[in-house]
Amino acid sequence: MKTAILITTMALFSQTVHANEIPAIDNASNTMNLTALQSLSQQTQGYEHAYANYRMAITANILGQQPLAKSALLAAQSTLENLVQTEGETLALLASVYGMQIGMDNSQGARLGAKLSQAITQAEALSPNNPRVALVQAISAFNTPVTFGGSMKKAIELSSKAIDLYNEPCNNVCWGHAEAYTWRGLAKQNSGDTEGAITDWQLAIEIEPNYSWANFLLKQNNLTH
């Protein structure tokens, strides 16, 4: 009994600790502040360190700095794989890191595809109501060819599930709400629903006014929020 209580307490403590710098990481990511993300990566440990590197990889990739993006992803992967795999939160982020590595280099699919699938399956089993688990599943469905089980329909359904779960109160790790709307918008756009896509991107901006990606997508369609 004491062991079970100790494990539960440690898990709760771990979740609280790795939530402290996440708002700062999100703010730096939303504004594509690579310098701030590099600094946050150096200042953090554990889940936060991995998350900072994950966001740094996304920003670096957008800015055309692929070597930095790849090294940041490797740092995130190493950190997450060394954490105790008992949290859906950790496994969802790890699956997202695997997915981005495959997206940047398709040759990694054979090596990391099975790991991605295993991580997201375990994450869903541990945290079936975690919105980030549904978000990562949506991103995977978006990027996976239909012949391998992906589709825009699945991406829309899973991102909608994530959005519903994000509407629940959140006091700890809360990243991804605006991102879920943005991915759903992309899936709608790819399905021919441009008006629905624009609505979703506008909703993303309502959640995160400085969210560069959604702002960019709206500008591409000659709209602003």
Side-chain angles (χ1 to χ4, degrees):
M1 178 65 72
K2 288 182 179 179
T3 301
I5 293 173
L6 178 60
I7 292 173
T8 301
T9 302
M10 289 176 65
L12 291 171
F13 176 74
S14 172
Q15 291 174 355
T16 301
V17 168
H18 65 48
N20 290 342
E21 295 294 340
I22 288 176
I25 296 168
D26 284 339
N27 182 64
S29 175
N30 290 340
T31 56
M32 297 181 66
N33 189 335
L34 193 55
T35 301
L37 287 168
Q38 289 174 310
S39 177
L40 286 162
S41 170
Q42 294 168 1
Q43 296 169 13
T44 51
Q45 296 180 343
Y47 180 95
E48 285 182 316
H49 176 71
Y51 183 60
N53 275 286
Y54 170 65
R55 289 301 181 191
M56 180 164 61
I58 293 174
T59 301
N61 190 47
I62 292 170
L63 296 176
Q65 298 187 35
Q66 276 70 37
L68 176 59
K70 289 180 179 180
S71 65
L73 285 172
L74 286 172
Q77 177 187 346
S78 176
T79 298
L80 291 167
E81 287 180 342
N82 285 321
L83 292 176
V84 178
Q85 304 298 305
T86 57
E87 290 185 34
E89 201 72 70
T90 299
L91 288 161
L93 181 55
L94 179 58
S96 196
V97 168
Y98 288 147
M100 188 174 176
Q101 288 173 307
I102 294 170
M104 290 184 65
D105 181 359
N106 290 334
S107 68
Q108 296 293 319
R111 184 174 69 86
L112 297 178
K115 288 186 175 184
L116 189 161
S117 179
Q118 181 181 19
I120 200 61
T121 298
Q122 291 177 339
E124 185 176 24
L126 288 165
S127 305
N129 296 318
N130 186 318
R132 278 157 300 284
V133 173
L135 173 59
V136 174
Q137 290 174 317
I139 296 170
S140 179
F142 182 94
N143 289 314
T144 301
V146 174
T147 51
F148 293 101
S151 73
M152 294 303 112
K153 182 175 182 292
K154 284 184 179 180
I156 292 170
E157 290 173 351
L158 288 164
S159 53
S160 295
K161 177 183 176 181
I163 289 165
D164 288 341
L165 291 171
Y166 277 115
N167 288 327
E168 297 297 320
C170 178
N171 299 313
N172 193 18
V173 179
C174 304
W175 63 267
H177 195 174
E179 197 171 353
Y181 276 112
T182 306
W183 279 104
R184 190 173 73 174
L186 286 169
K188 286 180 178 179
Q189 183 185 48
N190 282 6
S191 301
D193 182 8
T194 302
E195 289 187 7
I198 289 169
T199 297
D200 274 347
W201 297 332
Q202 289 172 328
L203 289 168
I205 295 301
E206 288 182 16
I207 295 167
E208 295 286 352
N210 294 323
Y211 192 25
S212 298
W213 190 21
N215 274 306
F216 171 76
L217 291 167
L218 287 171
K219 288 176 181 177
Q220 272 194 324
N221 288 272
N222 298 316
L223 289 172
T224 61
H225 68 284

